[in-house]
Amino acid sequence: MSTDQEKLSTMIGRQIFDNLKGQGLADELDFKVLGASLLDASEGKENPFTAADEQAVFGALQERMQAKQAEQSKELAAAGIDFLAENGKKDGITTTASGLQYRVVNSGDGQTPTASCTVETHYEGRLINGEVFDSSYQRGETVSFPVNGVIQGWQEALQLMKAGDKWELFIPYELAYGAAGSPPKIGPCETLVFDIELIAVK
């Protein structure tokens, strides 16, 4: 690729694919046909489909996607329930009334925040298969936010912690991103694991 136009076209093509994959559409598409359709559109060729055609095809797609999400939700919810049941039996694991589980890694002696406080933290978030989906450690900088502005599992844990604490959290989906998840990295009904370090209370 010798020109900026070629490079930009390739980059945007990759971005389009990543976006489609994140929406769960990659398996639904024939990318050769998609590329040809883009070329036809760029050349001003007439759309071969009517509005009724599009409504029918997209309606069928929506039904398939909803069925696929429902099945994924069942699988992820069941996996999370099994994981938490086994995890709760391990030494050092505390399970609260809400279903939140935590393990104290290091203990501090600083202030315990309230819901209205702002906190500075370091953290890493993982799926139960160990896949990292977010990490302030990898970015090399701490993150500050209001306690009442994060997922329920974090809100509960932070108000039990002291500045200087480092805990490992095991959060059922109801206390995380719920049935919707947080696509594309967190699926529906996904149980999450976090390492969280409470640096300071502001």
Side-chain angles (χ1 to χ4, degrees):
M1 296 178 202
S2 58
T3 69
D4 285 345
Q5 185 181 43
E6 289 173 334
K7 293 175 183 177
L8 179 61
S9 298
T10 300
M11 292 174 186
I12 290 178
R14 293 276 179 170
Q15 290 176 355
I16 290 172
F17 174 79
D18 288 343
N19 184 43
L20 291 170
K21 184 179 179 181
Q23 295 179 58
L25 291 172
D27 294 338
E28 294 281 346
L29 299 173
D30 181 324
F31 285 93
K32 290 183 179 179
V33 175
L34 176 62
S37 179
L38 285 170
L39 182 60
D40 286 347
S42 73
E43 293 174 349
K45 293 183 180 178
E46 186 177 348
N47 185 348
F49 301 108
T50 66
D53 292 333
E54 292 181 355
Q55 185 175 8
V57 170
F58 283 114
L61 171 64
Q62 186 176 25
E63 289 180 4
R64 291 197 301 275
M65 297 297 290
Q66 288 173 343
K68 188 184 297 185
Q69 184 176 22
E71 184 60 30
Q72 185 185 23
S73 296
K74 286 181 184 178
E75 292 174 357
L76 291 174
I81 289 169
D82 291 344
F83 172 85
L84 292 170
E86 290 302 312
N87 192 63
K89 299 174 184 177
K90 296 178 181 178
D91 291 341
I93 300 295
T94 298
T95 302
T96 70
S98 71
L100 172 71
Q101 295 179 351
Y102 66 87
R103 179 176 67 89
V104 177
V105 179
N106 291 314
S107 296
D109 57 5
Q111 180 183 350
T112 295
T114 64
S116 61
C117 289
T118 295
V119 294
E120 179 184 1
T121 68
H122 248 324
Y123 69 89
E124 179 175 273
R126 302 183 296 279
L127 308 180
I128 59 175
N129 66 7
E131 180 182 341
V132 175
F133 60 82
D134 192 14
S135 176
S136 66
Y137 294 106
Q138 291 181 5
R139 293 191 295 272
E141 57 184 10
T142 60
V143 178
S144 296
F145 48 77
V147 172
N148 60 11
V150 291
I151 59 175
Q152 292 180 38
W154 270 48
Q155 291 186 42
E156 180 180 350
L158 285 167
Q159 293 179 81
L160 297 173
M161 297 175 72
K162 295 180 180 179
D165 279 355
K166 182 176 182 180
W167 289 11
E168 187 174 20
L169 307 181
F170 309 90
I171 304 179
Y173 77 88
E174 298 94 338
L175 303 178
Y177 291 96
S182 182
K185 295 184 178 181
I186 300 171
C189 300
E190 192 117 48
T191 294
L192 304 179
V193 180
F194 285 94
D195 293 325
I196 179 169
E197 188 175 354
L198 180 53
I199 306 296
V201 179
K202 302 178 181 180

